[in-house]
Amino acid sequence: EVQLQASGGGMLQPGGSLRLSCAVSGFTVENYELWWVRQAPGKAPQWVSAIKPDGTTRYADSVKGRFAISRDSAKNTLFLQLNSLNAEDAAVYYCTQGPYYWGKGTLVTVSS
């Protein structure tokens, strides 16, 4: 079965960094486009980043230059590196297979 299990969230101060992981099962991370999507309380889900099977990456303007998406084929795991965090980054982060398969998210909070 397809499963995407995000982990690594936590509470950080503004300017902090965090690395999120997504353990994937049921398919290999190199074979499908994978996304990170986040949702803040009371807000609509927001697409954050994508990585294609060929390794091409894309980012939302709000995170470009601060976040980095990557994958580890040996571990069949997707990652999102979050740097220079600000209050607007606080959300539940989900890893997805495009828009089709979603797992449980991991919570990132930003507080001083």
Side-chain angles (χ1 to χ4, degrees), residues 24-105:
V24 174
S25 62
F27 65 94
T28 59
V29 296
E30 292 183 333
N31 290 348
Y32 295 90
E33 180 166 318
L34 301 178
W35 294 359
W36 285 97
V37 179
R38 67 187 183 186
Q39 186 170 26
K43 302 291 185 179
Q46 179 189 39
W47 175 85
V48 173
S49 184
I51 183 167
K52 292 183 176 181
D54 67 2
T56 302
T57 60
R58 297 196 308 276
Y59 300 92
D61 289 343
S62 59
V63 307
K64 191 175 299 182
R66 298 188 298 117
F67 291 8
I69 189 172
S70 62
R71 65 194 180 203
D72 185 328
S73 296
K75 298 179 179 179
N76 209 41
T77 301
L78 180 73
F79 300 98
L80 185 69
Q81 178 69 42
L82 299 80
N83 298 321
S84 301
L85 287 164
N86 57 56
E88 287 67 46
D89 297 319
V92 176
Y93 284 72
Y94 301 88
C95 53
T96 76
Q97 186 195 96
Y100 304 112
Y101 290 95
W102 294 54
K104 293 183 178 180

Side-chain angles (χ1 to χ4, degrees), residues 10-17 85-91 108-112:
M11 184 178 70
L12 280 77
Q13 295 181 329
S17 298
L85 287 164
N86 57 56
E88 287 67 46
D89 297 319
V108 174
T109 59
V110 182
S111 176
S112 59

